[in-house]
Amino acid sequence: MRALIAGFVLALALTGGAAAKPFVAILADGRGTVATDLLAPYAILAESGAVEVKVVSADAEPVRLTPGYAWVAPQMTLAELEPLRPQGPDVVIVPAFEVEDDPARAAWLRDQLRRGVRIMSICNGARTLAAAGLLDGRQATVHWFSRSRLAKKHPTTTWRTDVRWIADGPIVTTAGISAGEPATLNLLRELAGEEVMRETAQRLGLPLPDPRHRGEDYRLTLRGMGLVVGNLAAFWRREDVAVPLSAGFDEIAFGTAIDAWSRTYRSTAWATGAPSTVSRHGLAVYRSRGLPDRFDREVALPGPDVMARTFAQVRSAYGEPTARFVALQFEHPYGAVSAW
């Protein structure tokens, strides 16, 4: 009898411990979800071990990771999430989507906010929040390319350029792609504490989060426009780039590679390897069923300081202006206009 009671107490303690972990849902859209916006927050939170994080989609169909060619399997559908978390997740993360204004998704996000759920957008995920009316009357930030358009369309929102992320009540928005990492580390600090955040950042080789930013240093210049036109015009130099995956691959490195090499205006990145490969933290990623007949180059996933190393790979392949233009799209310091 004592053994039975002891076993019950242990099971109850374990269940309580599991339930005490904050639950974060990262939304995905099968029609297209920006790779780095989804994979970097997932990797950081999963690596911490202190947060339960799931990729959640409207249905179970694989999600296209843009702008390259790869797909990821959702870990849960919205219908499956509801009975598991009737009160809603602790946090919902919204990456940038190809389809930004979806009425059903907007209604779901508004409902989550009413339930007291915190919502954080990554980069142009703020466009989805704005379309749902969640940023009206708030302070927010977004990718530099979207600011002027959103300022006209949503004039009651105060669009900040001096921060990489900003919280206004239960809603957090971030600047361009590279801001997703520090903003997620800051979220982890709020959910699990300073020590967990620091240890996670150290294991992943990420700098500690710093909100300071000079958003006015990121803009499309004549030089940048000329580079795009030149790279597009030289169609005979277009390349298909293979990004090979093996079991246990690093999600941040893969997301950055598939994203960056597809933003050069000279190349498109494709996941290659087995038809399905499981990442370090359990995501199933699929390659395209129809790969190119041949690849012009193959790139290895970089180690620590992933973004800087990826830009260095692009610089070695296509030159410094193209590498800096890719970094500009990431809103990374290497791509700041004053650095060109």
Side-chain angles (χ1 to χ4, degrees):
M1 186 67 177
R2 280 185 188 173
L4 182 62
I5 293 173
F8 175 75
V9 171
L10 177 60
L12 188 63
L14 289 173
T15 302
K21 276 188 179 183
F23 186 99
V24 178
I26 301 180
L27 281 190
D29 187 318
R31 294 165 292 188
T33 302
V34 171
T36 311
D37 290 358
L38 185 153
L39 293 175
Y42 177 85
I44 291 168
L45 296 175
E47 175 68 23
S48 76
V51 175
E52 185 176 1
V53 56
K54 297 292 182 184
V55 174
V56 182
S57 186
D59 55 49
E61 292 300 307
V63 171
R64 166 81 184 278
L65 295 174
T66 61
Y69 284 93
W71 283 259
V72 64
Q75 297 167 306
M76 188 179 294
T77 66
L78 291 176
E80 292 167 339
L81 176 64
E82 182 64 26
L84 180 69
R85 298 283 302 190
Q87 76 277 30
D90 292 288
V91 182
V92 171
I93 293 179
V94 181
F97 299 129
E98 290 296 306
V99 179
E100 297 166 350
D101 190 359
D102 181 294
R105 183 175 58 219
W108 186 84
L109 286 169
R110 289 192 292 267
D111 182 56
Q112 298 307 300
L113 191 62
R114 283 192 291 268
R115 296 186 196 194
V117 174
R118 297 169 66 184
I119 298 174
M120 182 170 88
S121 65
I122 306 294
C123 188
N124 278 330
R127 284 159 46 165
T128 291
L129 300 193
L134 301 186
L135 300 184
D136 294 346
R138 298 184 186 273
Q139 295 188 69
T141 189
V142 70
H143 189 278
W144 60 266
F145 190 75
S146 301
R147 278 198 307 264
S148 59
R149 191 181 80 172
L150 285 179
K152 293 176 183 177
K153 197 171 182 181
H154 301 277
T156 68
T157 304
T158 301
W159 297 99
R160 297 279 296 273
T161 63
D162 60 329
V163 286
R164 299 193 82 190
W165 72 87
I166 184 168
D168 190 321
I171 293 181
V172 176
T173 52
T174 81
I177 299 168
S178 66
E181 292 176 1
T184 302
L185 284 171
N186 185 67
L187 173 65
L188 179 60
R189 174 164 49 199
E190 294 173 349
L191 294 176
E194 183 76 19
E195 185 177 353
V196 170
M197 183 277 289
R198 285 178 174 270
E199 290 175 351
T200 302
Q202 184 177 36
R203 289 198 301 273
L204 293 174
L206 299 174
L208 295 178
D210 183 347
R212 292 174 297 180
H213 192 47
R214 292 180 57 203
E216 67 279 0
D217 206 11
Y218 300 86
R219 60 188 183 274
L220 189 58
T221 63
L222 288 175
R223 184 176 182 182
M225 287 187 285
L227 184 141
V228 170
V229 170
N231 281 2
L232 286 175
F235 60 88
W236 61 91
R237 297 188 303 180
R238 291 283 300 177
E239 293 189 343
D240 287 308
V241 176
V243 183
L245 297 181
S246 56
F249 69 88
D250 179 271
E251 295 96 347
I252 296 178
F254 170 67
T256 303
I258 205 82
D259 203 331
W261 285 93
S262 299
R263 293 181 186 273
T264 64
Y265 290 88
R266 281 195 55 177
S267 56
T268 302
W270 303 71
T272 62
S276 175
T277 308
V278 177
S279 74
R280 176 175 176 175
H281 298 104
L283 285 180
V285 172
Y286 307 106
R287 62 169 170 78
S288 175
R289 292 179 180 175
L291 294 173
D293 294 333
R294 58 176 291 275
F295 285 98
D296 301 286
R297 72 176 64 239
E298 179 178 293
V299 296
L301 295 184
D305 201 5
V306 166
M307 287 189 185
R309 288 174 182 265
T310 301
F311 302 147
Q313 289 177 330
V314 173
R315 181 175 65 242
S316 178
Y318 304 141
E320 186 168 347
T322 294
R324 288 195 183 276
F325 190 73
V326 171
L328 174 66
Q329 293 171 78
F330 273 68
E331 206 158 333
H332 184 279
Y334 180 66
V337 170
S338 60
W340 283 50

